[in-house]
Amino acid sequence: MSDAPSTERIPVSVITGFLGSGKTTLLKHLLPQPAMADTAVVINEFGEIGLDHLLVENSSDDTVVLSSGCLCCTIRGDLVDTLRSLFLRRRKGAIPQFKRVVIETTGLADPAPVLHTLMQDPLVSECYRLDGVITTVDAVNGMDQLDKQMESVKQAAVADRLLLTKSDLAPGAKVEALQERLRKLNPAAPIRPIQDGRIDAAELLNAGLYNPETKSLDVRRWLKAEAYSEDHHGHDHHGHAHGHGHDHGQDPHDVNRHDSRIAAFALDWDQPLDWSVFVEWIEMLITGHGENLLRLKGILNVAGEDSPIAIHGVQHLFHPPIALPAWPDSDRHSRIVFITRDIARGTIETSFKSFFAPKAG
């Protein structure tokens, strides 16, 4: 278990979304905002975000410093090289002391490899931490893209923030239907209709475990587990796992084949968990279902530990677990939130019970 303070690592926000969904327009309106000062923005190509309207203070081959305090950097080679180079140049004083990073993915990209980079590379994971995933969804074409493109569904399913772009160009009924569809795909992510990319940066940043406003680790805000449960206290008090929320893999009324592959739910457990057994269970899940564990967040009551343990995984990779300073309140049950593809809630719940249910005799 690691109690390394995640607060000291540089937060990274990932902006993803399908082609034409407005990522470029969004960045144009975010970059001049005071909340984005001291931010390094990592993109594939400077020209795509139109820096002409922003005052450029100085530039090098792959880095532009803007008057707003933002630092724009192109991806050279792969993302690992770019993030390592940024951090090393920051430490040497060759570039401004940025305090956060925003990464824009390409329109067709599965966001998982970007998240893997933040977890897998030793230097990157020591220096950076994932703050959140921001997904733009086109209100005009979003329904069609969700129907036809599985990557579009995944981008929406793993988001911490969902931005409904071009909402002024689509009929109201269409916007409402898309919002309802997104809520089913991703119950916990706030959905914010925006026009012309205009939104306060503060609404998108600081979506992670650490809350810079309170200078503390904010478990409830990060986990948002209540969004997956109609009964917010649906766990029983006998150590039985209960899955709550939306399991579209078993919804006979969901006729869309892409959406039906995604399930979003939470598991509760009242009894303290044996850490070695939990690790064994997670490793079993990863071995059997790794690619389809799109995202997993949890707070665990671990036997022998006074404080809770926070876990966060994307597919087959996990951040080092973090020992939190204290429980947020008197409720000490473990809760794990899952976003899965082609894994029914019952499959996860049954395997959990097989590992943790009290043995007879």
Side-chain angles (χ1 to χ4, degrees):
M1 253 173 265
S2 168
D3 59 358
S6 65
T7 57
E8 294 179 3
R9 290 177 287 168
I10 297 170
V12 179
S13 299
V14 178
I15 298 178
T16 187
F18 213 67
L19 289 167
S21 63
K23 299 187 300 298
T24 296
T25 305
L26 174 66
L27 273 174
K28 283 181 182 178
H29 288 283
L30 289 178
L31 285 175
Q33 295 185 33
M36 289 287 285
D38 304 318
T39 296
V41 181
V42 178
I43 52 182
N44 287 320
E45 186 61 51
F46 284 145
E48 292 181 8
I49 65 162
L51 295 175
D52 297 343
H53 72 298
L54 299 169
L55 184 61
V56 175
E57 292 196 338
N58 56 68
S59 64
S60 63
D61 287 345
D62 63 349
T63 304
V64 173
V65 180
L66 305 177
S67 59
S68 65
C70 289
L71 178 76
C72 283
C73 178
T74 52
I75 297 174
R76 285 207 160 180
D78 62 16
L79 183 59
V80 170
D81 290 341
T82 299
L83 291 175
R84 284 181 171 182
S85 173
L86 274 174
F87 189 83
L88 293 173
R89 285 188 287 162
R90 172 184 182 270
R91 190 166 64 184
K92 292 176 182 176
I95 57 176
Q97 291 288 312
F98 59 88
K99 295 178 181 177
R100 72 171 64 250
V101 173
V102 172
I103 300 172
E104 181 199 352
T105 71
T106 61
L108 292 172
D110 177 354
V114 177
L115 307 185
H116 290 171
T117 295
L118 299 174
M119 297 180 177
Q120 190 172 33
D121 182 80
L123 180 58
V124 170
S125 62
E126 280 290 316
C127 303
Y128 301 95
R129 62 178 172 86
L130 175 65
D131 180 66
V133 178
I134 301 157
T135 299
T136 53
V137 181
D138 182 338
V140 176
N141 301 306
M143 276 289 198
D144 188 55
Q145 289 166 350
L146 290 170
D147 285 342
K148 295 178 179 178
Q149 304 289 343
M150 187 62 201
E151 294 308 330
S152 178
V153 175
K154 287 175 66 178
Q155 289 170 348
V158 303
D160 296 288
R161 302 282 186 269
L162 285 164
L163 298 182
L164 205 56
T165 63
K166 307 178 188 176
S167 56
D168 55 324
L169 304 179
K174 188 174 184 178
V175 173
E176 288 179 16
L178 181 55
Q179 285 183 298
E180 180 59 27
R181 186 170 178 180
L182 292 171
R183 283 192 199 100
K184 290 180 179 178
L185 265 178
N186 189 335
I191 302 171
R192 178 75 153 77
I194 63 172
Q195 299 176 9
D196 299 321
R198 290 183 171 83
I199 188 170
D200 187 343
E203 291 189 46
L204 305 181
L205 306 175
N206 305 323
L209 183 59
Y210 178 65
N211 185 346
E213 292 180 5
T214 61
K215 306 296 184 186
S216 64
L217 297 170
D218 192 336
V219 176
R220 297 209 173 281
R221 185 191 63 145
W222 172 68
L223 202 57
K224 284 202 169 182
E226 69 279 359
Y228 299 86
S229 174
E230 293 178 3
D231 172 8
H232 292 186
H233 301 282
H235 58 285
D236 68 24
H237 296 276
H238 303 285
H240 293 164
H242 285 258
H244 298 294
H246 307 267
D247 185 346
H248 302 293
Q250 297 178 329
D251 186 350
H253 303 293
D254 190 342
V255 297
N256 181 270
R257 65 184 183 89
H258 286 319
D259 290 27
S260 68
R261 298 178 64 187
I262 304 294
F265 54 93
L267 288 186
D268 295 342
W269 193 254
D270 284 351
Q271 303 304 314
L273 299 173
D274 183 304
W275 179 252
S276 62
V277 175
F278 180 81
V279 171
E280 185 181 351
W281 177 63
I282 283 291
E283 289 178 347
M284 180 275 298
L285 275 185
I286 291 171
T287 300
H289 304 284
E291 290 302 309
N292 291 323
L293 293 170
L294 300 184
R295 203 159 179 195
L296 181 156
K297 297 179 182 179
I299 177 172
L300 306 180
N301 183 348
V302 174
E305 297 284 338
D306 293 331
S307 58
I309 304 298
I311 57 168
H312 184 203
V314 176
Q315 293 179 320
H316 57 281
L317 292 176
F318 275 69
H319 266 304
I322 299 172
L324 305 181
W327 286 91
D329 53 35
S330 60
D331 187 352
R332 301 296 177 91
H333 75 282
S334 298
R335 173 161 276 194
I336 309 172
V337 167
F338 291 87
I339 302 286
T340 64
R341 177 182 58 185
D342 297 332
I343 314 173
R345 177 180 64 214
T347 300
I348 301 287
E349 187 174 351
T350 298
S351 72
F352 189 90
K353 285 182 177 180
S354 73
F355 274 75
F356 291 102
K359 302 297 188 291

